[in-house]
Every structure is written in C-alpha cells, then in structure tokens.
Amino acid sequence: MKLQITRLRVEQMRRFRSPLELGGFEPGLNIVAAPNEAGKSTLVRAIRAAFFERHRSTAVEDLRPWGEGSGAAPLVELDFLIDGQSHRLVKSFLGKKRCTLAVGTRSFDGTDAEDHLAQLFGFSFAGKGASKPENWGIPGLLWVEQGRGQELDVSHARDHLHDALRDPAGDSAAALAASGGDALLDSLRAQRDEILTSTGKPRAAYAEAIAQVAELEAALGAIDAQVATYRQQVDQLADMRLQHRADEIARPWEVLREELLATQRRNDALQASQEQLRSDRARLQQLHETRDLLAKELAGLGQQQAEVQAREHACEETARQLQDSNTAVDHARQFAAEAQRRVDSARDAWRVASQEAQRRNLQQLLQQAQADAARSTESIARADEAQARLAALQATAAAAPKIRAADVEQLHKLERAERDADLRRQAVATRLQFVLPEGQALELQARSETHDLRGQGERLIDAPATLHMPGGGRLVITPGGDDLVTLARAHGDARDALRAALRAHGVTDIAEARSRLGISVDLDAQIKLAQQALGIVAPRGLDTLRAELVQAQSRIATAQAALERLPAQAAEPAVSIEEAEAAQQAVAVAEQAAQKKLAEAQRRQSAAQEASASAQRELASAQAALADPGRQQRHAQASKQWLAAGAEAEALTARIEQTSADVQAARPDIVLQDIDRLQRSIEQLTRSHQLRRDQLLVLENTLQLAGAQGLEEQREAVAGQLAQAQRRQAELQRRADALALLCRKLEEKRQATLTRLQAPLQARMQHYLPLLMPGATLHMDAGLAPATLTRLGASGAVESGQLQELSFGAREQLRLISRFAYADLLQEAGRPTLLILDDALVHSDAPRLAQMKRALFDAAQRHQVLLFTCHPEHWRDMGVELRSLNQGSPG
C-alpha cells in the first residue's frame, strides 16, 4: 500500500502562531533543512499529534503557542494519498477541539475519524492521558524522534510484523514461532525452572539435595580426618616422649652457654684494642698539626730579612709619589679659582636677563587677562539670553498635558486586542442579512438596545435578540455555542479595557493620544535644542562664566602690580635669558670639572701621604723585629721541637699499623655475630624443650578425649545418611537433564521455524546491510529485533557481538537500516508506510554517512521519507531539493 503526504499545515502551535503550510511533498525523499529552534521538531510533533492524540485530549498542553493564553487552538491539517486515493485530516486541540477526515467522497468526524486512522495505519490510542510508545504501533516503529535513532523497540509493533510474516501453510510450528512459545514448551520450561536457573545451575530442591550431599560428604570427611588425626597423634606422642627424654639427658644448652662466655671474653679484648687504636690515631693527628705550625714559624723567621729590604724600596717609591701629588694639587687649585670668577660674572648677566624676561611675561599675561575678561563678558550676555529661552520652553512643557510613548503603545495594543476579539466574535456570531421594501422597517431588540432595520443591510447577533415584525408578531433569535458567549464576553472586556485606558489618559481616541504625544515630543526636542545652545555658550554653567570673569580681572590687577615692583629697565639691552642660561651652564660645567679635578688631586695627595707614612712605619717595625736578640733562640727551639715531633709520629705510625692488622684479623664483626647466634641458640633450645613438655601434656589430654567420642560409630551413621542423599540427588539430576534436553530440542525446533518465518525480513535486512557493511550479517532475535552482528574484524577473523555493544553512531545506523527493512515488509503486506527521520545520523562520520545515504536513497524508491535536518551541507548530494521552512506559505 503506497502512502504519500502531499501537504502539511499548522497554526497556533508552539512557535507557529501564524499559519505555516508546506506542500508539494514528493512520493520519495523529502528533506526539510532549517537551523536549530526554527521549528522542525514542532512539525514532527504536529504529525504525531494528528495521528496519535485524541482531539479531546487534555494532555497536549505542549502544543500551545509559547506565551499564549487559554484561548489558543493548535491546528494541524494533513493531505495524503493512499494508493492514489486522497485523504484530508483536520484536527484542532485545546481551545477548539474537533477532528474531521475526508476519504475521497466519504467523511468521518471525531472519534470515528481517529479510529479509522488507527486501524488503517496500525496504532492505538491511550485509554487515559497522553499517547505512549506502546500505543504507536507501526508509525512508532518507522518514525524516528530527535536523538532516538539509536533506540529501537519492536515489541509494540510485533503483532503487525507477525501478520506480515505469517506462514501461508499455517502449520503449528509457525504458530508456535509467531506466538512466542506454546503451552507445552512453557510447561516444560516452568518445570525445568523449578530445579534449574536460567544459566543451568541447580535451584530449590535440586540445589538443596546437592547441598545436603556436600554437607554430609564434608561431615564424613571431617570424621575420617579426626580418625586419621587420632592415629597420627598416638604416633606423635611416642616420638615426642623419646625426644624430650634425650634432651633431659644431653642438656645441649649448657655446652652453648660455656662457648658463649669464651666468645664474650674474646670480644672484650678486641674492644680494648680498638679503643687503644682510636687513642693512638688521635695523638698522631695532634703531632702532624704541631709539626705544621712549627714549619710555618721557621719559614716566617727566615722571611724577616727579605721583608726589611722590600720595605726600604716601598718607602722610596711612596716619597716620589707624594712629591708628584703636591705639584698636581697646586695646579688644580689655580684652575679652580679662575673657573669660580667666570661663574660669578655669568650669574650677574643671568640675573639681568631674567628680570627683562619676567617683565615681558607679565606684559603678555596682562594682555591675555584683558582679552579673557572681554570674552567672558560677551559669553555671559549670550548665556543669559539662552537661559531665558530655555525657561520659557520648560514652562510651556510643564503646562501641557503629558502622555508617554509607552502609554500610546499600550492603547494600540488594547485597540488591536479589541479588534481581534471583535473579528473572532464576528467569525462565529449569527449573521442576520435583511432586504426590506422602501418604507418598511423591522425593530431588533438585543442587549437592552433597540435598532430599526430599514432598506438593505446586515447585523451580527452574539446574544439573544428579538425581531419585532410589522403588524404584530416577533422572532426570537438565540445564537448557539459556548464559544460565541465566550468570544462576545471577551470582546466586551477588550472594549471596556480600551475605553477605561482612554479615559485614564484624558483622550477620546487613539488619534488624540498620538497628537498629544507628538506635541510632547516636539516640546522635548525644542527643550533639548535650547539646552544644547546653553551648553555651547556656557558648557560649565553661568556661575562658571562669571567666576572666569572675576578671575580674569584679578589676573589683570596682579600683573600690573608685579610690573610696578620690577626695577627700572637697563639702559643697554641685555642678552636673552636663553643665552644667559647657556653661558651660565657652560661656566658651571667648567667650574664643576675644575673642582672635581682639584678634589681628585687632593685625594691622591692624601693617599700618597698616608702611603708614605705607612711604608715608613712598616720599615721601622721590620727593622726592629730583625734586631730582636730572642729571634735566634726562637729559631733553634722551634727546630728542636719539629724534629722531636717527627720521631714520635714515626713510632706511633708503626704501632697503629700493627694494632689495626691484629684487630682486622680477629674479625670483631664476626665475633659479635657469634655472640648473637649463641644467645639465640640457647633461647631456642630452652624454649623448644619447654614447649615440647607442654605439647606432651596437651596431646595426652586430647587423645583421652578422642578415645571417649566413639568416632567409628559416628562415621557409620553419617555414611548411611550420605548414601540416601546421593540417591535423591541422582534422581533430581536425571529429571533436570531430561527437562533441559526436552526444552533444548523444542527450542531448536522453534528457532528453526523462526528462521524460516523470518526469512523475508532477513532478506530485506541483507538488502540494505551490504551498502553499509559489506560482508556483514545482522541476526534477529525471537522478538524480530536486530540483536547480533557478524562481520570480518580488522585482523581478518570473523567476529560476532551484540548490537548494544557497538558505538552510538553504529547502533543508530544499523537500527535505521532495520526500519527500512520493516517498512519494505509491511508495505508488501498491504500496510501504508511512511519514514520520518528527525535530525538522524548526526553522529555518523563522513564515510559511514555516505554509505547510509545510499541505503536511504534506495529505501526512498519504495517509501515516502521526510528527513528533517539542521545540517543542509550534509545532504546536498541526495538528488532532491532541500526545502527551507521559509519556503512554506503563510497559509
């Protein structure tokens, strides 16, 4: 059965307050491209609401235009063809609930129209509330919501698919496969499930029997272990008694104690040798340090003669340097005095030039202040004039009645609301048209008002009215419908609101309000111009202008007083202040250089004097040290001490080497380990002897208790219980194996039948799958949903996995292909099919998207496809025009 939507029109639905109409849909692929928030999903929701929602449903508030009140009536119109026969569905919700379906020359209204569509398209309606996925049937299988392409729930359309797949032979196996299992298989499964879990593990009585066998086997094993332990402990008791008696006789720990004492004495001797070795090494270090000090003293005494000669040469050199520095200081002092005289002369010339420059500056300041005073006087006069004009305009504006632009805009809104309400009232009101002969009149009484009807005309009646006939008699006209009463009341309320607003603003109509607003705006503009003119003349205000005038007059008086205080002008013209400053700077630099040169010469003179005096002092000190009578005695004594320290150091070195060799040969670290080893061995032997004695006592008591428990009798009783439990377990195991075998055989038979039954669907699936994944196979589960994908992996080996384990994009691609296969199957079974894809395949990479386009284009050869997308650049190669929502007509 071929289905084609040809036209879609929506009005007062979400973002589409005004009508939007899309027509001329092709029988194959149709692509509607628009940005986000443009209304694509609203159109998809409109199609769903047209089919799935009852027109009287109160659960469709999401269709209401955004920000609209309770009077909105969302409307959707659909024109479509089924096998060439035209259908028109018109459905509106909320404010005006109605539904009509025209099929050729036939028509259906209300729930009859909705039920006819449900039977035709294969869906149902919710018993209460909004429509749910379980009601959507075939359209729910083929229409993909935004962001849901990777999901696929076949359960709600499975009956329709089973009908399309029904085996013409109608054998019982096919009935079994289509229904999901017969009573026998369910009964066997139930019996199997009583003793086995879904994974084949024991449960209930079977699990209890296994647990009882395991428990009795464990108990029997425990008793056997106790018997074996008893026998082992008897042998162990005899061995322990022999070992304990042998230790009592030999007492090996006493021998180890004597060996420990000898080792400790050997360790004490080694400790004394190590202490002596440390003392000798410290003394040897002291002797080396003493010899170093004596060698330095002898070297110092030998250097005193050479130092006296060096001091004599230094005294001669410092005396020569002192003479040169005295000469340099004399020359520098003369040069500095000459530079100071030039500085004094330049300073006098600068003082005269400065006075003349100050005189010229004061004269310029006086002229500038006089000009500023004249300019301020003129500005004050112009500002007074502008201030007077501004005050007059502000007074006029204060006296004029006020109205704001927002008030006028609100009046416009109220007027439009009153006009819209009147138009809605007229659309549903009873229309009375009359044509009367000349001279004849009728009297119409409505809403406590009386109107004479004469000639030809028309009246709208939205409330009960009485028409009085000439010569007696009357007609009572009662308009019907709750909508009319509501619309008439709404029109009256809107008219009263408009009149109240006009009275509140003191105007009779909108024109007067606009005129008053124009006068107010014009006055405001003139006031702004006057303010701008005042701002140009007195940008900082009149008080600032007057203050500037006072400041200018004050500057005039100050400049005149300063000129009078200056000395009389020189008879000869003075040099300019710049020339005087340049000359003064030049001589100042020269004077600074001369002073710096003098200071440097004086510093060198002082340094030379200090160096000469220091050299003389050092020479005297060196000569006195050389002439000291005790110097020779110190030299001889130091030489004797140096030789004695060397001999003692040599002897100590030999003793240290011998002692160190003896200690190293004795291995003190091994001696300490021997002490530790012997102490541990003594402790271990004594502890083991004591522990063995305690164990003998415990083992004797344990054997006495075990002999009194009757272990052999207990073992025979438990062995009997175990044999009985094993028989019960074997019986239940045979039953479980038999039931599992029967279920497996029946399920294999059922699966084979399902495979034969699903063959047409599998064939349609394999028609599309190679376009996306060459060489792959998509297997269906018992519920006719795609479940397992088998394909060649990257290594070349065949791999198989659940569809749910694939990536988001791959799941979406495979489940869209499954929908194409379902559509082919349903169409062959005579069901009308339509594919709606809202923003599908946005998670596909470029190569996969290109492959999916081939599959989509192929499906569009048999079915109408409505593809809504916000990525038009991805779909320009589909061979069809990309339609924009702007291409829709206003309706």
Side-chain angles (χ1 to χ4, degrees):
M1 188 177 294
K2 192 71 172 179
L3 167 66
Q4 177 189 351
I5 291 179
T6 58
R7 185 182 71 96
L8 169 64
R9 182 178 183 274
V10 295
E11 181 180 354
Q12 296 189 50
M13 183 174 291
R14 291 187 178 176
R15 64 172 288 114
F16 298 117
R17 289 185 173 84
S18 300
L20 173 73
E21 181 174 322
L22 293 176
F25 286 106
E26 297 295 330
L29 179 61
N30 299 267
I31 302 177
V32 179
N36 291 328
E37 303 295 329
K40 302 186 301 299
S41 296
T42 298
L43 297 181
V44 176
R45 173 63 175 131
I47 297 174
R48 287 180 171 273
F51 286 99
F52 296 156
E53 306 292 351
R54 292 284 191 185
H55 69 285
R56 293 192 175 278
S57 174
T58 58
V60 290
E61 284 294 324
D62 64 302
L63 301 179
R64 189 184 301 280
W66 297 333
E68 195 71 19
S70 59
L75 171 70
V76 57
E77 295 181 9
L78 273 173
D79 289 354
F80 53 94
L81 300 174
I82 297 181
D83 286 344
Q85 186 176 35
S86 63
H87 292 65
R88 169 166 290 184
L89 172 64
V90 180
K91 185 179 286 191
S92 62
F93 305 89
L94 301 177
K96 186 182 293 185
K97 302 176 181 179
R98 63 190 179 96
C99 176
T100 61
L101 174 65
V103 181
T105 58
R106 295 184 300 159
S107 63
F108 302 88
D109 290 326
T111 56
D112 292 339
E114 293 170 337
D115 293 340
H116 179 78
L117 286 174
Q119 183 178 7
L120 179 65
F121 281 87
F123 65 89
S124 62
F125 291 98
K128 184 178 181 182
S131 179
K132 301 177 181 61
E134 54 263 30
N135 306 121
W136 297 345
I138 293 175
L141 184 66
L142 303 182
W143 298 357
V144 180
E145 293 184 277
Q146 187 178 36
R148 297 290 186 87
Q150 81 285 358
E151 300 175 4
L152 179 61
D153 187 357
V154 185
S155 61
H156 308 313
R158 189 162 50 203
D159 291 342
H160 300 288
L161 292 174
H162 283 160
D163 291 341
L165 290 169
R166 184 169 296 157
D167 190 345
D171 60 13
S172 59
L176 170 66
S179 62
D182 60 8
L184 175 60
L185 181 57
D186 290 340
S187 175
L188 291 173
R189 283 174 174 169
Q191 294 179 49
R192 181 196 61 188
D193 292 343
E194 288 179 358
I195 56 178
L196 291 176
T197 65
S198 59
T199 59
K201 294 183 179 180
R203 65 185 302 176
Y206 187 17
E208 292 175 1
I210 294 175
Q212 186 179 10
V213 169
E215 181 181 354
L216 291 172
E217 287 177 344
L220 184 60
I223 294 175
D224 289 340
Q226 289 178 4
V227 171
T229 301
Y230 177 78
R231 295 169 180 171
Q232 181 183 3
Q233 287 175 345
V234 170
D235 297 336
Q236 182 182 3
L237 178 61
D239 293 340
M240 290 177 63
R241 284 173 175 171
L242 290 174
Q243 293 177 3
H244 187 69
R245 189 177 302 112
D247 286 346
E248 286 287 346
I249 296 172
R251 302 182 69 82
W253 52 84
E254 296 294 344
V255 178
L256 293 179
R257 282 198 181 100
E258 293 177 0
E259 187 178 350
L260 175 62
L261 290 174
T263 304
Q264 286 175 339
R265 286 193 295 271
R266 195 161 56 249
N267 183 61
D268 293 342
L270 284 173
Q271 292 292 332
S273 297
Q274 288 177 335
E275 183 61 32
Q276 180 63 42
L277 186 61
R278 283 193 292 271
S279 177
D280 289 346
R281 284 173 176 166
R283 176 58 183 164
L284 180 61
Q285 180 66 26
Q286 291 176 358
L287 289 174
H288 285 317
E289 293 175 354
T290 300
R291 279 171 60 85
D292 291 341
L293 291 174
L294 291 171
K296 290 179 182 179
E297 185 177 1
L298 290 172
L301 291 173
Q303 288 291 329
Q304 288 181 348
Q305 181 64 41
E307 190 171 349
V308 168
Q309 294 175 357
R311 297 303 178 192
E312 289 175 349
H313 289 300
C315 284
E316 293 174 359
E317 180 63 25
T318 54
R320 185 184 61 76
Q321 292 177 355
L322 178 59
Q323 184 177 359
D324 292 343
S325 64
N326 290 337
T327 303
V329 168
D330 292 339
H331 288 303
R333 188 174 286 113
Q334 293 174 3
F335 185 75
E338 179 62 26
Q340 183 62 44
R341 287 193 294 274
R342 289 197 297 271
V343 167
D344 294 341
S345 176
R347 186 177 292 114
D348 293 338
W350 177 83
R351 186 180 300 109
V352 174
S354 177
Q355 290 177 357
E356 293 305 317
Q358 185 179 7
R359 190 188 311 278
R360 288 193 297 273
N361 289 336
L362 288 173
Q363 289 173 349
Q364 291 175 358
L365 290 174
L366 177 60
Q367 294 173 0
Q368 182 65 38
Q370 290 171 345
D372 290 345
R375 188 164 50 253
S376 296
T377 302
E378 182 180 357
S379 296
I380 288 171
R382 290 201 302 271
D384 287 338
E385 181 181 353
Q387 180 68 36
R389 172 170 173 74
L390 176 61
L393 288 172
Q394 288 175 339
T396 302
K402 295 289 185 180
I403 190 168
R404 299 176 303 169
D407 299 332
V408 175
E409 179 62 25
Q410 181 63 26
L411 290 174
H412 277 295
K413 290 181 180 179
L414 292 173
E415 183 184 41
R416 286 195 297 271
E418 189 270 339
R419 185 169 59 252
D420 292 344
D422 186 36
L423 290 175
R424 288 192 294 268
R425 178 186 63 84
Q426 293 180 18
V428 297
T430 299
R431 193 176 301 275
L432 176 64
Q433 295 179 342
F434 56 89
V435 179
L436 299 174
E438 186 175 353
Q440 188 174 355
L442 298 175
E443 183 180 285
L444 178 66
Q445 186 174 3
R447 295 185 183 275
S448 302
E449 297 179 358
T450 302
H451 305 278
D452 288 337
L453 306 182
R454 298 178 182 273
Q456 180 178 352
E458 182 180 86
R459 290 282 181 174
L460 292 175
I461 301 175
D462 58 5
T466 302
L467 183 64
H468 296 277
M469 309 297 294
R474 60 184 179 179
L475 297 175
V476 177
I477 303 172
T478 304
D482 295 337
D483 290 345
L484 179 58
V485 176
T486 302
L487 292 174
R489 186 182 301 112
H491 174 241
D493 294 343
R495 184 180 60 242
D496 294 342
L498 175 62
R499 291 174 179 174
L502 290 171
R503 287 195 301 271
H505 293 295
V507 295
T508 57
D509 52 24
I510 299 295
E512 183 179 351
R514 285 198 296 267
S515 175
R516 182 177 296 178
L517 177 61
I519 294 172
S520 177
V521 170
D522 184 58
L523 276 175
D524 290 341
Q526 292 184 34
I527 289 173
K528 287 182 180 178
L529 289 174
Q531 289 173 341
Q532 292 174 357
L534 178 60
I536 293 172
V537 178
R540 292 176 294 173
L542 274 170
D543 293 339
T544 303
L545 285 177
R546 293 189 177 95
E548 290 175 352
L549 176 60
V550 172
Q551 291 176 0
Q553 293 171 346
S554 175
R555 293 204 311 274
I556 292 172
T558 301
Q560 289 175 344
L563 283 171
E564 292 174 356
R565 288 195 299 272
L566 287 176
Q569 189 171 1
E572 296 181 0
V575 298
S576 65
I577 185 66
E578 291 80 6
E579 294 174 349
E581 288 178 349
Q584 187 178 16
Q585 290 177 357
V587 296
V589 169
E591 192 266 342
Q592 290 176 358
Q595 291 294 336
K596 184 177 181 181
K597 187 175 182 181
L598 175 60
E600 180 65 21
Q602 290 174 341
R603 184 188 64 76
R604 292 178 180 174
Q605 182 186 43
S606 299
Q609 290 173 348
E610 178 62 28
S612 177
S614 177
Q616 290 175 356
R617 287 193 300 271
E618 290 175 355
L619 175 59
S621 175
Q623 289 173 344
L626 186 62
D628 185 4
R631 175 179 173 278
Q632 295 298 328
Q633 183 180 358
R634 287 199 305 275
H635 187 277
Q637 184 179 3
S639 298
K640 182 180 179 180
Q641 291 175 351
W642 186 82
L643 292 173
E648 185 180 358
E650 186 175 353
L652 272 176
T653 301
R655 189 169 70 185
I656 288 171
E657 291 176 353
Q658 182 61 41
T659 306
S660 178
D662 294 341
V663 170
Q664 186 175 2
R667 295 297 300 273
D669 56 331
I670 300 301
V671 172
L672 290 174
Q673 290 179 6
D674 291 342
I675 292 173
D676 183 56
R677 174 175 55 79
L678 291 170
Q679 287 175 342
R680 292 185 181 184
S681 299
I682 293 169
E683 292 175 0
Q684 177 63 29
L685 287 172
T686 55
R687 186 167 57 252
S688 297
H689 183 68
Q690 181 64 36
L691 180 61
R692 188 180 294 112
R693 184 174 60 187
D694 295 340
Q695 288 176 344
L696 282 171
L697 295 175
V698 172
L699 190 54
E700 289 172 352
N701 293 331
T702 301
L703 291 174
Q704 291 175 1
L705 292 175
Q709 288 177 353
L711 294 177
E712 296 295 339
E713 293 80 1
Q714 293 182 21
R715 188 185 186 286
E716 292 179 2
V718 172
Q721 295 174 2
L722 175 60
Q724 183 179 0
Q726 287 173 337
R727 287 193 297 272
R728 172 63 175 165
Q729 176 187 348
E731 178 185 349
L732 290 172
Q733 182 175 356
R734 287 193 299 272
R735 177 176 175 79
D737 293 342
L739 288 171
L741 178 61
L742 283 172
C743 290
R744 184 168 64 254
K745 292 296 184 181
L746 286 175
E747 287 170 351
E748 289 173 355
K749 177 64 176 176
R750 179 178 180 275
Q751 184 59 41
T753 305
L754 278 174
T755 302
R756 188 176 70 254
L757 193 64
Q758 292 176 355
L761 178 59
Q762 193 71 40
R764 295 315 302 167
M765 194 74 70
Q766 290 304 123
H767 172 77
Y768 292 105
L769 187 59
L771 298 176
L772 178 67
M773 297 179 181
T777 302
L778 189 60
H779 302 281
M780 316 297 288
D781 62 13
L784 301 180
T788 307
L789 177 69
T790 302
R791 59 181 174 178
L792 288 177
S795 62
V798 176
E799 59 182 20
S800 181
Q802 295 296 315
L803 201 66
Q804 196 59 33
E805 298 172 357
L806 300 179
S807 67
F808 186 99
R811 296 201 308 271
E812 182 183 33
Q813 295 152 14
L814 291 172
R815 283 170 174 157
L816 282 181
I817 280 180
S818 301
R819 289 179 168 91
F820 299 162
Y822 295 145
D824 289 350
L825 184 69
L826 290 166
Q827 189 180 70
E828 291 174 1
R831 285 289 191 176
T833 56
L834 168 68
L835 290 165
I836 299 178
L837 310 179
D838 187 5
D839 261 350
L841 298 173
V842 296
H843 298 283
S844 299
D845 56 32
R848 283 287 182 87
L849 181 59
Q851 293 166 319
M852 283 301 298
K853 288 178 181 178
R854 299 175 66 194
L856 176 61
F857 190 82
D858 181 72
Q861 306 308 304
R862 291 173 294 282
H863 312 281
Q864 187 180 41
V865 181
L866 303 183
L867 173 65
F868 296 84
T869 179
C870 60
H871 296 285
E873 67 278 4
H874 294 168
W875 301 95
R876 301 188 190 280
D877 56 350
M878 295 303 292
V880 298
E881 178 186 4
L882 271 63
R883 307 185 54 172
S884 170
L885 292 186
N886 296 330
Q887 293 175 333
S889 65

